[in-house]
Structures are given as structure tokens and as C-alpha cells.
Amino acid sequence: MTTRAVRAAGLALLHGVALAGLGLAGAVSLLVHLAFFVPGFGLGLIFLLPLPILAGRHLTNLVRRLAGDGSGSGDGSGMPLGSPYRPRPGPPQPEADGRYPHDNRLYRRPWVPAFLRLMDWLLGDPASYRDLGWMITTPLVGTLLGGLPVALVAAGGWYAASNASRHWWAVPAGLAAAVAGLAVAPWLRTLHLRWTRWWLGPTQRQPGRLRVWYAHQLLLLLRLLSLLGLSLAALPLAALSAVALLLTYGVGIVVVLPPVIQNIRWLPELRRRLAGQWSGVTVDSPYLPRPEVPQRRPDGRYQVGNHLYQTERWAAYGLRLRWLTRDRASWRDFGWLLLDPVVGGLSLAAPLGAIGYGIFGLAMPRLWMLVGLRADGGTDWYGSVAGSDAAAIPVGLALAALGLLAAPAVLRFNGRWAALLLAPTAKSRLALRVQRLTETRADATESQAAELRRIERDLHDGAQARLVAMGINLGNVEYLLDRDPQAARALLAEARQASAKALTELRDLVRGIHPPVLAERGLADAVRALALDTTVRTEVTVELPGRPEPPIESAAYFAVSELLTNAVKHARAARITVHLGYADGRLRIVVADDGRGGADEARGSGLHGISRRLGTFDGVVDLSSPPGGPTTVILEVPCALSSPRTSIS
Amino acid sequence: MRVVLAEDLYLLRDGLSRMLTAHGFDVVAAVETGPELLAALLELRPDVAVVDVRLPPTQTDEGLQAALAARREVPGLPVLVLSQHVEQLYARELLADGTGGVGYLLKDRVFNAEQFVDAVRRVAGGGMAMDPDVIAKLLARSSRDAPVARLTSREREVLELMAEGRSNSAIGQRLFLSESAVGKHTASIFGKLDLSPSDDDNRRVLAVLAYLQRQG
């Protein structure tokens, strides 16, 4: 054995000590993770989640760097491991109006979207979970691989030194163990390196089916766990509600009720959303929209229901109370808060309990007992079934499997349970519908009245005035005909011009009321005609099996017209496409351009106008226009199509 | 010259009929509806038809449809279409078959009897009469493209009048130019738009219109 080899073995030994130490550090990091994750996932305190992940990365990065040090092993694997993490997202960029977008929402301050980006970055990175896997396994595997050589050397030395006087063979045996420790050190180190790379190195591996299944089960359990946490979170809210109700109806302190009703709504709202996202049960929000304070009566008071209020402030207060307490959804929320910890909580706890007890209560303790880690079962609770130790492992595993099998059904049940009390009742659905119809009807009548006023004004100032002028002119012509034929001729030419102008004005007016080409050809050709009149290259594709009702055709036509104008004027598009289609009883129009985007329904009154106009027919406008483009607007209007017009030729 | 007239409003039908008669046309039929028009066109085979786009019984574009149907039966049957509004869509459909003898004018153009009668004669002779509004819209779309943008303003004026269907001499009269000067301008326009020149007025107009529509 050359000195070089001894030195390498010694270095490997030291390295092993360091690795063993890191293994213990991994255990500490794992405990920290658990301390933050349990409330983070279990109670929904998600702001706790990034802290341990970020802190843990310092440790794993240190391990990656160490994997590159002490490269005396000569196996060419001494390079530091590359970072497997996805690049950290930059700070959120504000839009033109100074608000910050994230997903489908705008935020006034940057820190909320910044935090959400951080969460997406950390929790969406598979490397985070592999770090976690490393932390779980390293206390055992890492410590063993790193510490075994040192332990052998140390134990050999100690055995030789302490037993040399008693047995003659103690010294050679101790030395042999120490040499064996030195000999296996480089080999174990390589093994450790491989193992570390497997967990912490950069990877392009496709997850195997088992891993996918495992991730799926894990996600399922995490969802059940989160829902359980939310069910328990309902308890304090239920207590709060009970106190508020008691104060209101028992003592008469009404003031507390409205804020309580409003401020507990976040939990039912969250559960409605989760029911849709996790359980696949769509639960709409049932709350009635907040009414507006009524107009002042002639006697100066405000009427809310049967009450009269002197000041607007008290009227608003009374209105709020009435709005919240008359809403059936408020009472159903109360009921749900009271019942969910029992119904939802127990149903969620059952599969989680079965899995937890099956594995950690029966199978694992029994396994430990088999390898002698625990001398006796202690109580029946751990590691035995009805006094029988042998049954513990199969029964425990079966219990866990049963829990896993039941988990999807329990998740679905949870969604249905939420829908049962949290979904809008037929009555509140109707109320919401009435509210919507009232709004759109008001919009429709208002815009119709405005339209009529505009037509009246245009006729009054335009064609009507010109016809009067023409009449006067013709009277003058009559008078001048014999006296001054020359002047009469000039006036006649003027009258003709005036009539031409009046016609042009009337033509424009007619176009604004109901375009002739729409009346003559229907929506498809009218949109084609619009495209031809647009100065930007515009392509129209049509898949309409028939014609919508005339009012819908008209609304759709003006909407497309407005959108084309926007695309040319504001987006400065070079190319526009328009598609007219019909599916599932809805007319669907897609207008897309390659312009600079940045359109906003809240600011562009044109888009708002379209929204209102189509709202009369229960139509919706969907706008997608990121800064820099492209802009896509989708209009959808439920309607029936008439059979296509038969050609007359 | 034998004319078939289709117009559903009595006042306008009567006025047009009188004007055409006064200018030496022979109005062989003045009809009110689309089916009547189609029958008259196919039976009487007039030298030219003056047709309102919108006709009973549907009050849609029945006049235009009847005219197009008749031209499918009798290729090149001269038709002058009148309307309260002009649409490029309709102009394209009228020009689609690539034969001449087509006119498409706003009803307002009837006010100027001389020009209107001139347009009817041109169409009857297999020529074109496109409304200035149609041409203006075509040019508005095309002018973003490089070749049309390269034209001088005088050349644009000539192009507009040419696209309306006017002859070199008529263009010269309009712009106070000699016929040979107009000829030079047209040659230059054809060069810039990369179109092969043609002595035949009618084919020339079709080439220009086809070019402008292609740009759209």
C-alpha cells in the first residue's frame, strides 16, 4: 500500500465524516420542513411554505458543492453537481395602469403577485420534492455510507486498545477492522456520491409510472388533509357566528351581525372554489349582489323595506342588514359552518386515519418488532390486531390500501356535500337571474333611448334642415325664373347639391341604424362587407348553418364593426381574422388581430358598450389582450338559427 | 336602344323611365319585382338593364340576384345596378365573371342626367361604370401597398377615373388634359403596377379593378 493510496483513503475517511454530518443536518432540515409544512398544508397557512424550502436549499447546495471536493478517488466524478432548480422568477412587471397581473387577477401592490410567483416557483419545481426525498433518506443512508468507514476504524482502534491485554488476537482483529474501514472508504464514498447525484443532481428523467402513481396519491392525500384543515377551521368561525347570533337575537346587539356574516364568507367561498377544482363539483356563488341605496323620497327620507330612515348613512346601514340577513345563503353558510366539522371532518378523517393507523400504527411497529428494535408490543394499540401479532402487517397494509382506494370517493363526496348547502338554491338562482335581467333591461332601454335621441338629432340638424333650405331655394327659383334666369340656374344647381348632401347624410344615418347589407344578406355577408371596407387586411371565415334572429344579427354586426375599428385604430394591427361559428346553441365570434394589444374592458368604453349590448341577449365578451399583443376577443351569444335562406334564382 | 327597368318605387321608376325616354332610349319593360325582372331579361334580351338592388317580394338584394342569374344565362348581358348604398362585396360579385357590361352606381348619380345616360350607354356598349365611392374604398385599401403608393397624385386621379370605367378622352375632358397626355399617364400607371397594357378600354378597366381588389 503506497503512501498515496493511504492518503486517498484518509481523505475519503474525512470526507465520510463530513457526509455523515450532513446526513444529520438533513434530518434537522427535515424536522424544520415538517414544523412548517404541517400548519402550511394542514391549516392553509401557505405563507409558511417557502421559508423551509428556501432555507433547505442552502444545505442541499452545500452538499452539491462538497460532492465536488476531495476528488482523490480518481473516478472522474469529482465535479460539483449542477443546480437542478428552475431559475427564480423576476419581480412582477406592472401593466400600463400600474397594477400587477398574476394568473387571472390584477393586484395593486407588487408583493402579493411576487409572493405567488415565489410559491409557484418553489412548489412547482420537482427539484424541491427531490430535496425533500433526500432529507428523508439521508439520515439513514447518508450517515451509513459516510460513517461506516470511520466507525470501523474507530471501533477497530478502540477494540485493539482496550482488549489487547486480554486476548492476543484483539490487536490484529482491531487493526483488520480499521484497515477494512480504510479500504472500503473510497468505494463507499463513490457509492455515496452516486446516491447523492441520484437525489440532488440535475435530471432529465421522465417520471416512471410508479412515481406518477405515487405523486398522484400524495396529491390526493394532501388535498384531503387540506380539506380536513379547512373543516376544522370552520369550528372557530361557527363559534363566532353563534356568538353573533346570540348577541343579535338574544341581547339585541344587531351591530355585530353584518360584519360577521360578511367576514366569514371567505371560507365557504374557498370551499366552493376547491369543490370545483379538486372534487369536480361546480358550486356557484349564491350571494345576492349588494343593492344600492334608494333614492330620497319627496319627504326627505329613505325607504328600505318598510323602514324609513332620516339619513343616508342609516339607510345604508339598514339596507346592508336587510341585504345580508334576507339572503338565504347567509343562513345556509351558518348551517354549513356548524355541520362541516362533523360531516366533512369525519368523512375526511376516515381514510386519512385508516392510512395513518394502518401504516404507522400496525405495519411499521410490527416490522420494527420483527427486526428487534422494540422488544415488546406494549399495548394492543401498536403492532397487533385483537391480540394477534401476526395479523398486524397484512391488516395494517389492507387498512391503508382501503383508505387510499376510498380517498377519491371521499374527495368527490366532499364536493357534493359542499354543493348541498353552499350551492345557490333555486330561489337565489332565480333572484340572481332577475337581478341580471333587470340590469340588462335597464341597459337595453337606456341605450335604445339614447339611440333614438341621436337619430332624432341627426335628422333634425341634417336632412330635415337641408330639405327646408331646399324648399326656400326652390321658392326663390320660382320667383327668379322670369326675372333672372341666370341666378335661377345657379340656385337650382345649389338645390341639387343640397339634395345630394341630404342623401349622403341619410345614408350614413341608415347605416348606423341598420346597415342595408345586413338587411339584404344577413350577418355573414355583412361582416364580409365590413372586412372589405376595413383598410387592414381582414380575413373572414364563416361556419354558420343558418341565420340568427335579426336583433342578435344586428348586435353582433355592430360588435364586430366596433372591434375592427379598435383593431385598426388602437391596436394598429396589420392583419385581422374574424371567425363566425355556431356550436352548442351559441353564436361564437372570434376577432383576432396581430396588433400591440393592451386593450382593457374597464377602460375602453367601446368594449364595455359591446358587453352591455350583448348582455341584453345573455351574450358574453371574453377579451385577451396582453401588452404587445396579440388581441383576441371572443363573443358568445346563446341563440337559435333559422334555416338558411333559399336562393331565389 | 332597348332598356329593361326594374325599380319598385313608383316615383323613381316613372322618373327614370321618363329620363331614359327623353334621352332616346326605348324602355321595353319597367318591372317591380325580382322574378318579373329575371323573366323580362331572359325573354326580351334588352341592350341594357337598369336595376335597383333591393326589390320585392323579399326586399333584400333580389334585383342584384336576378341580374347575376340573368348574366349567368346570357353571359355579358349589360346590367347597370343602382342602389341607395354601395358595397364592395356587391361590386366584386358583379365583376367576378370577368366580362364587361357592368355598372354599379349610387342612386344619387341619377341627379346628373348627362353623366348617368353616359354611364348607361357605356355599359350597353360592354364597358364599365363603377361608382366613385366604390373606387375610393378600393384605393383606400390599396394605397397602403407600395405600388399604389408610388403613383403621383395626377396618376391617382387618372387611375380613379379609369377604374370608374371612363375612356381616355373622357378622362382628358375631366382633368383638362390632352388625350395623349392621359395615354402617357396610363402607360406609366400600368408600368408601376406591373400590369400588361391593353388598347382595349374595357379590358384595361377590368385589369385595374382586378388589381385593386387583389390588393384588398
Side-chain angles (χ1 to χ4, degrees):
Chain A
M1 210 185 260
T2 62
T3 45
R4 225 175 125 184
V6 172
R7 234 182 85 193
L11 272 177
L13 213 59
L14 283 177
H15 207 173
V17 174
L19 293 177
L22 284 177
L24 293 177
V28 173
S29 175
L30 180 66
L31 287 178
V32 173
H33 269 73
L34 284 179
F36 281 88
F37 274 21
V38 168
F41 282 116
L43 296 178
L45 306 174
I46 52 168
F47 62 88
L48 291 175
L49 296 176
L51 298 168
I53 299 180
L54 274 177
R57 285 187 178 184
H58 289 293
L59 177 67
T60 49
N61 276 331
L62 184 68
V63 173
R64 286 187 191 96
R65 261 208 314 286
L66 264 182
D69 288 347
S71 52
S73 55
D75 57 1
S77 54
M79 294 285 288
L81 295 174
S83 175
Y85 304 121
R86 289 178 183 165
R88 187 172 183 145
Q93 296 300 321
E95 289 191 340
D97 62 353
R99 290 186 293 176
Y100 297 84
H102 184 85
D103 272 350
N104 297 325
R105 277 201 62 175
L106 288 171
Y107 298 89
R108 204 157 293 154
R109 304 198 183 285
W111 64 268
V112 178
F115 176 75
L116 292 173
R117 276 170 171 230
L118 185 74
M119 293 278 291
D120 286 352
W121 170 56
L122 290 175
L123 295 179
D125 194 343
S128 295
Y129 300 100
R130 287 194 290 124
D131 279 7
L132 206 60
W134 176 81
M135 280 171 220
I136 293 172
T137 48
T138 196
L140 190 65
V141 183
T143 315
L144 198 70
L145 293 178
L148 190 63
V150 183
L152 276 174
V153 171
W158 173 80
Y159 188 73
S162 59
N163 291 326
S165 54
R166 266 177 276 171
H167 317 290
W168 66 268
W169 43 263
V171 175
L175 278 179
V179 168
L182 277 175
V184 295
W187 180 68
L188 282 181
R189 181 178 169 274
T190 311
L191 212 60
H192 187 277
L193 208 64
R194 266 194 212 154
W195 178 77
T196 307
R197 176 172 304 138
W198 193 83
W199 279 111
L200 298 183
T203 178
Q204 286 89 39
R205 273 177 303 145
Q206 283 294 315
R209 273 166 63 189
L210 189 70
R211 285 167 65 94
V212 170
W213 179 85
Y214 176 71
H216 185 77
Q217 300 303 325
L218 199 68
L219 191 68
L220 197 62
L221 293 184
L222 276 178
R223 284 176 175 175
L224 289 185
L225 210 60
S226 306
L227 287 175
L228 184 60
L230 288 174
S231 287
L232 295 180
L235 273 175
L237 293 187
L240 186 70
S241 314
V243 170
L245 288 175
L246 204 69
L247 283 179
T248 304
Y249 294 101
V251 187
I253 306 173
V254 189
V255 203
V256 293
L257 195 57
V260 166
I261 291 179
Q262 261 189 308
N263 285 303
I264 57 171
R265 283 187 173 177
W266 66 270
L267 186 65
E269 278 292 83
L270 182 63
R271 290 299 295 270
R272 283 183 194 103
R273 225 175 42 238
L274 293 182
Q277 283 172 5
W278 292 357
S279 308
V281 181
T282 313
V283 185
D284 293 327
S285 189
Y287 304 121
L288 296 178
R290 187 172 192 152
E292 287 183 21
V293 178
Q295 292 289 319
R296 203 182 246 252
R297 289 172 16 134
D299 62 0
R301 292 187 288 183
Y302 298 87
Q303 183 178 358
V304 175
N306 294 329
H307 292 266
L308 292 175
Y309 294 94
Q310 296 292 345
T311 67
E312 191 174 349
R313 212 176 130 213
W314 280 106
Y317 175 77
L319 196 67
R320 183 175 175 217
L321 185 69
R322 189 182 152 85
W323 161 55
L324 290 170
T325 52
R326 290 258 174 138
D327 193 342
R328 287 172 67 89
S330 302
W331 300 98
R332 290 166 70 88
D333 276 3
F334 281 149
W336 185 80
L337 286 177
L338 280 172
L339 290 176
D340 185 55
V342 182
V343 180
L346 284 184
S347 67
L348 288 164
L352 288 172
I355 295 166
Y357 180 62
I359 290 178
F360 298 105
L362 292 176
M364 294 265 285
R366 187 65 207 154
L367 269 177
W368 289 334
M369 283 177 225
L370 280 182
V371 298
L373 276 175
R374 238 182 109 118
D376 65 308
T379 63
D380 276 358
W381 181 250
Y382 288 110
S384 65
V385 174
S388 156
D389 291 352
I393 292 179
V395 169
L397 289 179
L399 208 55
L402 206 67
L404 270 186
L405 278 178
V410 169
L411 198 62
R412 269 199 306 281
F413 166 78
N414 198 267
R416 297 225 183 89
W417 157 242
L420 187 69
L421 275 178
L422 296 185
T425 57
K427 213 170 167 181
S428 66
R429 241 181 247 286
L430 206 61
L432 285 170
R433 178 85 188 131
V434 167
Q435 175 101 13
R436 168 94 183 128
L437 288 178
T438 311
E439 273 168 22
T440 53
R441 190 182 64 174
D443 279 353
T445 47
E446 194 181 303
S447 67
Q448 204 164 31
E451 189 77 3
L452 285 175
R453 275 199 302 279
R454 185 181 65 80
I455 294 168
E456 187 272 337
R457 204 172 47 237
D458 283 3
L459 283 174
H460 182 267
D461 298 350
Q464 215 173 353
R466 282 192 199 284
L467 282 172
V468 171
M470 264 163 64
I472 296 170
N473 250 351
L474 288 175
N476 288 339
V477 169
E478 213 169 36
Y479 174 75
L480 286 172
L481 209 52
D482 296 330
R483 277 158 251 217
D484 188 352
Q486 204 65 34
R489 196 179 292 272
L491 279 181
L492 272 177
E494 218 172 88
R496 196 171 70 188
Q497 269 176 9
S499 78
K501 275 209 181 106
L503 266 179
T504 311
E505 280 175 9
L506 282 174
R507 190 175 301 123
D508 291 344
L509 190 63
V510 166
R511 245 180 224 287
I513 300 170
H514 193 73
V517 66
L518 188 60
E520 288 164 6
R521 289 288 184 87
L523 183 61
D525 273 352
V527 169
R528 285 195 189 103
L530 260 184
L532 284 173
D533 285 347
T534 305
T535 52
V536 170
R537 195 165 292 241
T538 306
E539 270 167 36
V540 181
T541 47
V542 179
E543 288 170 66
L544 286 180
R547 279 182 64 171
E549 291 295 305
I552 291 177
E553 272 197 330
S554 174
Y557 173 88
F558 283 109
V560 172
S561 172
E562 179 85 37
L563 291 174
L564 289 179
T565 312
N566 280 353
V568 174
K569 242 201 227 158
H570 303 305
R572 301 207 192 123
R575 205 179 167 78
I576 309 172
T577 57
V578 183
H579 178 78
L580 305 182
Y582 184 80
D584 306 326
R586 296 170 84 81
L587 172 69
R588 187 179 152 91
I589 303 175
V590 183
V591 181
D593 70 62
D594 61 354
R596 57 181 181 173
D600 183 357
E601 191 170 345
R603 273 176 299 163
S605 62
L607 276 170
H608 187 62
I610 292 173
S611 213
R612 276 175 39 156
R613 202 160 185 157
L614 293 182
T616 316
F617 306 100
D618 284 330
V620 289
V621 179
D622 181 47
L623 165 74
S624 152
S625 180
T631 300
T632 305
V633 182
I634 301 174
L635 314 173
E636 281 195 340
V637 189
C639 66
L641 295 190
S642 61
S643 56
R645 191 177 65 125
T646 44
S647 176
I648 58 149
S649 55
Chain B
M1 216 175 263
R2 298 164 66 242
V3 185
V4 165
L5 179 64
E7 166 63 60
D8 56 327
L9 296 177
Y10 170 74
L11 275 177
L12 277 176
R13 189 168 67 238
D14 195 46
L16 274 172
S17 181
R18 241 184 260 186
M19 178 202 277
L20 288 170
T21 310
H23 283 83
F25 290 88
D26 175 16
V27 180
V28 291
V31 299
E32 283 181 53
T33 68
E36 280 175 344
L37 169 64
L38 188 59
L41 287 178
L42 295 181
E43 242 166 66
L44 301 172
R45 302 284 169 98
D47 297 315
V48 63
V50 176
V51 175
D52 184 10
V53 165
R54 196 184 287 199
L55 286 181
T58 56
Q59 288 294 353
T60 61
D61 60 339
E62 224 157 305
L64 178 69
Q65 297 298 344
L68 289 173
R71 272 172 69 86
R72 275 198 292 276
E73 294 280 314
V74 189
L77 179 74
V79 175
L80 174 61
V81 175
L82 293 178
S83 175
Q84 289 285 17
H85 62 106
V86 289
E87 299 289 342
Q88 290 186 65
L89 189 72
Y90 296 177
R92 273 169 188 257
E93 289 170 359
L94 281 166
L95 291 168
D97 59 7
T99 54
V102 174
Y104 183 33
L105 294 176
L106 273 177
K107 279 191 178 163
D108 313 19
R109 312 296 172 206
V110 182
F111 291 180
N112 191 327
E114 265 166 51
Q115 284 201 22
F116 176 68
V117 168
D118 178 50
V120 178
R121 291 225 164 87
R122 224 158 54 224
V123 172
M128 316 285 282
M130 280 291 130
D131 197 272
D133 272 18
V134 176
I135 305 303
K137 280 179 181 170
L138 275 177
L139 275 172
R141 254 164 96 77
S142 303
S143 54
R144 282 159 41 106
D145 297 289
V148 178
R150 276 209 306 273
L151 299 179
T152 64
S153 60
R154 187 29 72 86
E155 281 168 356
R156 262 186 83 111
E157 284 173 356
V158 173
L159 179 69
E160 275 171 41
L161 291 171
M162 197 161 65
E164 283 173 27
R166 293 175 204 276
S167 64
N168 275 3
S169 62
I171 295 172
Q173 268 178 20
R174 256 302 185 66
L175 299 177
F176 305 109
L177 292 171
S178 70
E179 216 175 314
S180 65
V182 176
K184 257 186 235 162
H185 283 308
T186 51
S188 164
I189 294 170
F190 273 66
K192 283 181 182 175
L193 300 189
D194 204 18
L195 295 171
S196 51
S198 164
D199 289 336
D200 180 23
D201 276 358
N202 194 15
R203 229 179 282 157
R204 190 181 73 168
V205 176
L206 283 172
V208 168
L209 285 174
Y211 175 83
L212 291 178
Q213 291 190 344
R214 201 166 58 235
Q215 296 305 303

